[in-house]
Amino acid sequence: MFNHSIPQIEDILTKAVNSKPITRQQAISLYKPSLLHTVGKVADEISNRLHNKRAFYVINRHINPTNICVNRCKFCAYSRSKGDADAFELTIDEILQKLRSTEVDFKEVHIVGGLHPDWGLREYLDIVRSVRQSFPDVAIKAYSAVEIDYISRVSNKDIRYVLMSLKDAGLSMLPGGGAEIFNPEVRQRLCPEKISGDRWLEIMETAHLLGIPSNATMLYGHIENLDDRIEHMVKIRELQEKTGGFQAFIPLAYHPKNTEVGGKHTSGVDDLLTIAISRIVLQNIPHIKAYWIMLGEKIAQTALLFGADDLDGTIIEEKITHSAGAQTRESISEEALKRLIQKTGKIPTKRDGFYNNI
Ligand code: V47
Ligand code: SF4
């Protein structure tokens, strides 16, 4: 069907386009620059079948309540220790002030930050509750599984209790951060203090069973290999088989500046192959997000023709990737997002936090 000169590749792509799950080894064999066009075409076909040529964006706003963190992940340029000159923690009033002074009519607020040594369930809950009281109709996407685990440990409550308390306070969904790469050896070298991949999956499974949807991420382009990437995707695919709770998968391109891991930026070819292969491997997850903050506007736009169907949103203020040297702007207008999408031939579709069309 694709007239590919290698029969095995032809077989894998035919399987993929017919929505059949491909194996780990088959996925790895697609990870070749020479296959970028073919693999991208198949991923685009899958995306069009799922979304009818629509590409989504959201008017959203990020809030990072603190950069003080008891962990010290070696790829993180954002975190600080308490007492550092540039450490910060926002008060509830400051958070609400940031939200109230936001000029756009945002539909989603994304709240993530560090593991603050003096905060417990009450502090993390108060943030969600106050935002919910002031913004009753906005989707609150808050706290990665890493923060959920931390809150549970410092407050001596199980994760079900923490998640239910947050949901009662107004939480809508969990963001997909903290997944990094599940492989234990790579994880040990990258972020020895962080929860394991199995714990990340357990927290997501619990959230999904409690009716809290989430996203999933994968941080790529540091010290991992292709096998680690595919193993990561397959574990997410397997959990999705059980719960159906993941809304979007977001490959996060590693940024090396100011980090202990160091290294290089990812290449455009790697970014596009990773988007395309994730679309092919994760056919049971509805959306693949091309996060323009990390990919840059041009690669994120091109990714919409390689399997991605969502550019994320206006963001307004971004600290995590910009601490690690991101060259993108921190905020983008709705008009600019729509234009990026229109130029690909896809249909710009404004969504809320749950991917309902607005
Ligand atoms: O978990 C940290 C990553 C994540 C670096 O769910 C880095 O909609 C690149 O999860 N280079 C947080 N990445 C961001 C995140 C996210 C972003 C946008 C949307 C959603 C969503 C989730 O940022 C962390 C970590 O994997 N990160 N340092 C770095 N140097
Ligand atoms: Fe802390 Fe998250 Fe940075 Fe790790 S990635 S040091 S957990 S803020």
Side-chain angles (χ1 to χ4, degrees):
M1 187 200 302
F2 305 99
N3 297 322
H4 202 278
S5 52
I6 310 171
Q8 291 94 318
I9 298 291
E10 168 89 23
D11 288 350
I12 299 169
L13 294 174
T14 304
K15 211 169 145 190
V17 90
N18 289 316
S19 304
K20 301 255 175 6
I22 62 169
T23 66
R24 269 170 74 164
Q25 224 32 59
Q26 288 174 328
I28 289 171
S29 67
L30 298 180
Y31 242 123
K32 294 192 182 73
S34 61
L35 293 178
L36 177 62
H37 288 110
T38 328
V39 169
K41 191 167 175 299
V42 171
D44 191 39
E45 225 170 293
I46 296 167
S47 174
N48 286 337
R49 191 169 60 224
L50 289 169
H51 303 299
N52 250 327
K53 295 212 155 203
R54 286 174 304 167
F56 298 88
Y57 69 92
V58 60
I59 311 293
N60 67 351
R61 209 238 189 257
H62 280 209
I63 294 282
N64 304 120
T66 181
N67 63 351
I68 300 174
C69 187
V70 299
N71 276 4
R72 268 290 175 273
C73 302
K74 297 184 195 312
F75 55 78
C76 177
Y78 166 75
S79 63
R80 294 290 180 273
S81 295
K82 203 174 153 184
D84 283 354
D86 48 357
F88 71 84
E89 54 185 75
L90 301 180
T91 62
I92 302 269
D93 281 347
E94 285 167 333
I95 290 173
L96 293 178
Q97 188 44 39
K98 274 181 186 285
L99 292 172
R100 289 198 188 106
S101 61
T102 303
E103 282 162 13
V104 291
D105 181 20
F106 57 91
K107 299 294 177 209
E108 176 191 276
V109 51
H110 175 136
I111 308 175
V112 286
L115 311 178
H116 193 295
D118 306 330
W119 291 3
L121 180 59
R122 182 193 314 179
E123 286 74 11
Y124 286 94
L125 265 183
D126 280 350
I127 295 176
V128 171
R129 196 178 294 111
S130 316
V131 174
R132 174 53 70 229
Q133 275 163 4
S134 300
F135 299 90
D137 303 324
V138 162
I140 302 179
K141 180 175 67 178
Y143 308 142
S144 71
V146 177
E147 287 160 294
I148 301 297
D149 170 79
Y150 180 71
I151 300 168
S152 143
R153 280 188 289 120
V154 294
S155 60
N156 243 325
K157 304 280 187 213
D158 64 22
I159 48 177
R160 276 180 71 88
Y161 182 91
V162 171
L163 287 164
M164 278 316 292
S165 308
L166 286 164
K167 192 177 181 202
D168 289 345
L171 178 84
S172 312
M173 65 199 72
L174 299 181
E180 323 311 359
I181 281 281
F182 294 144
N183 178 278
E185 284 86 46
V186 177
R187 208 171 175 87
Q188 177 62 27
R189 284 169 59 201
L190 275 185
C191 45
E193 292 139 315
K194 192 165 249 171
I195 55 169
S196 68
D198 284 345
R199 177 73 169 160
W200 187 96
L201 290 161
E202 181 194 345
I203 291 170
M204 288 307 182
E205 180 169 1
T206 311
H208 296 172
L209 297 178
L210 294 172
I212 304 170
S214 77
N215 292 334
T217 58
M218 175 181 77
L219 182 68
Y220 68 95
H222 38 84
I223 56 167
E224 86 293 358
N225 61 32
L226 297 183
D227 203 18
D228 301 326
R229 294 188 195 182
I230 301 296
E231 178 190 40
H232 186 95
M233 291 183 203
V234 168
K235 287 204 160 162
I236 289 170
R237 180 170 80 186
E238 286 167 357
L239 179 54
Q240 180 74 343
E241 279 296 308
K242 274 169 86 176
T243 68
F246 289 120
Q247 297 196 120
F249 180 71
I250 315 156
L252 299 174
Y254 170 62
H255 281 58
K257 203 170 164 199
N258 306 323
T259 70
E260 215 181 308
V261 176
K264 294 195 170 62
H265 283 275
T266 57
S267 72
V269 172
D270 193 14
D271 293 334
L272 292 175
L273 267 175
T274 304
I275 291 274
I277 291 172
S278 59
R279 178 63 293 167
I280 289 173
V281 173
L282 294 166
Q283 295 201 34
N284 59 358
I285 296 192
H287 302 280
I288 302 291
K289 193 182 280 192
Y291 185 40
W292 67 267
I293 286 272
M294 289 197 190
L295 292 177
E297 288 170 39
K298 291 185 180 181
I299 293 286
Q301 177 187 45
T302 311
L304 297 177
L305 295 168
F306 284 77
D309 61 275
D310 183 18
L311 283 184
D312 200 271
T314 45
I315 312 286
I316 315 289
E317 195 181 359
E318 204 284 334
K319 293 191 191 303
I320 297 174
T321 327
H322 284 82
S323 310
Q327 298 292 307
T328 44
R329 44 181 158 172
E330 277 193 68
S331 171
I332 191 169
S333 69
E334 176 173 7
E335 279 318 304
L337 281 172
K338 277 166 73 175
R339 223 173 12 251
L340 284 175
I341 296 171
Q342 261 153 3
K343 295 276 180 195
T344 66
K346 302 266 166 154
I347 306 155
T349 308
K350 188 168 167 170
R351 65 166 176 90
D352 65 9
F354 297 95
Y355 287 88
N356 298 309
N357 295 359
I358 299 177

